[in-house]
Amino acid sequence: RKEVEQDPGPFNVPEGATVAFNCTYSNSASQSFFWYRQDCRKEPKLLMSVYSSGNEDGRFTAQLNRASQYISLLIRDSKLSDSATYLCVVNPPGSSASKIIFGSGTRLSIRP
Amino acid sequence: NAGVTQTPKFQVLKTGQSMTLQCAQDMNHNSMYWYRQDPGMGLRLIYYSASEGTTDKGEVPNGYNVSRLNKREFSLRLESAAPSQTSVYFCASSPHGHPVPLFGEGSRLTVL
């Protein structure tokens, strides 16, 4: 089993729809979690952190389920500009950026 | 603008040629990283430098060398390029103890 797994997609949804995707991780002792966004042929950029209590930023909600070892990202009222690849990032015990593990990404395409 | 700057943005090499990817950050970050990104593989850490004067191997160090020239600069060298090193290379940096790297724009390398 990969340490961090994501459904590669693509998820193809109409503008205005709600879309959600998950990311599973194998190390139950992992300490922190993040979502990055990567536009086509661009660098990954931090989208949001994922806290145990959940985290909401506008139309984006990130949640953590420790019991089932997954994090999720929900996008409401999706916009064309949300089209991108979303990378799940897991930080195993040790809290060092050198140890973080990136998922392969979930590709999201919003259609008009 | 403040951030991580990589050069060159694009490079084509022949098998066996050598080259150096340059990276500089102006955010006074202690830690710097080199990743490669391949389709379906996610971001994989090649080398990192936790602080000036130190470097450590990441997940895929074979075929690469690095130099942390000073706090700002971290270079990646391919001594004898191979087609398997065709990839997009990202330099990143983060403050000490902060597990969320900030990425440069990437360098696309093709080895023929």
Side-chain angles (χ1 to χ4, degrees):
Chain A
R1 180 184 175 187
K2 285 185 179 178
E3 291 183 88
V4 177
E5 287 197 82
Q6 295 184 250
D7 182 341
F11 285 63
N12 189 331
V13 303
E15 195 173 10
T18 295
V19 60
F21 26 85
N22 294 336
C23 165
T24 59
Y25 60 95
S26 61
N27 188 335
S28 60
S30 295
Q31 296 184 337
S32 49
F33 309 86
F34 309 91
W35 284 102
Y36 273 69
R37 171 195 168 121
Q38 185 172 23
D39 292 306
C40 187
R41 302 180 73 84
K42 298 289 188 180
E43 74 274 23
K45 294 181 179 178
L46 178 65
L47 177 66
M48 58 197 306
S49 302
V50 187
Y51 305 124
S52 296
S53 57
N55 187 18
E56 186 173 322
D57 183 3
R59 298 181 293 107
F60 296 80
T61 300
Q63 292 193 314
L64 167 64
N65 185 318
R66 283 197 181 274
S68 299
Q69 294 181 214
Y70 73 87
I71 65 172
S72 63
L73 181 66
L74 179 121
I75 305 174
R76 289 181 298 276
D77 188 24
S78 54
K79 312 292 184 190
L80 295 175
S81 57
D82 294 333
S83 296
T85 296
Y86 291 85
L87 306 176
C88 162
V89 180
V90 176
N91 189 22
S95 204
S96 163
S98 65
K99 304 295 185 187
I100 65 173
I101 303 168
F102 286 83
S104 300
T106 296
R107 191 152 58 94
L108 174 64
S109 178
I110 308 298
R111 63 179 188 269
Chain B
N1 291 337
V4 180
T5 304
Q6 295 180 229
T7 56
K9 296 287 191 292
F10 302 92
Q11 185 71 50
V12 179
L13 292 177
K14 294 181 180 178
T15 297
Q17 288 185 320
S18 62
M19 77 158 297
T20 299
L21 297 174
Q22 307 286 354
C23 176
Q25 52 90 10
D26 57 6
M27 297 168 288
N28 203 36
H29 286 170
N30 288 312
S31 302
M32 297 186 74
Y33 316 86
W34 277 106
Y35 289 89
R36 60 178 289 174
Q37 186 175 38
D38 303 291
M41 300 291 289
L43 283 154
R44 293 182 293 169
L45 184 65
I46 304 171
Y47 270 94
Y48 68 98
S49 171
S51 62
E52 186 178 353
T54 68
T55 60
D56 286 286
K57 295 178 181 180
E59 181 185 353
V60 288
N62 290 344
Y64 305 95
N65 286 302
V66 291
S67 295
R68 184 73 182 267
L69 305 170
N70 47 56
K71 192 170 186 179
R72 289 188 65 246
E73 298 173 288
F74 189 38
S75 62
L76 178 72
R77 182 160 178 84
L78 287 70
E79 291 291 352
S80 179
S84 60
Q85 294 178 304
T86 293
S87 187
V88 181
Y89 292 85
F90 288 101
C91 179
S93 70
S94 68
H96 177 68
H98 191 63
V100 184
L102 175 70
F103 287 87
E105 293 183 342
S107 300
R108 293 184 174 273
L109 174 65
T110 301
V111 183
L112 302 174

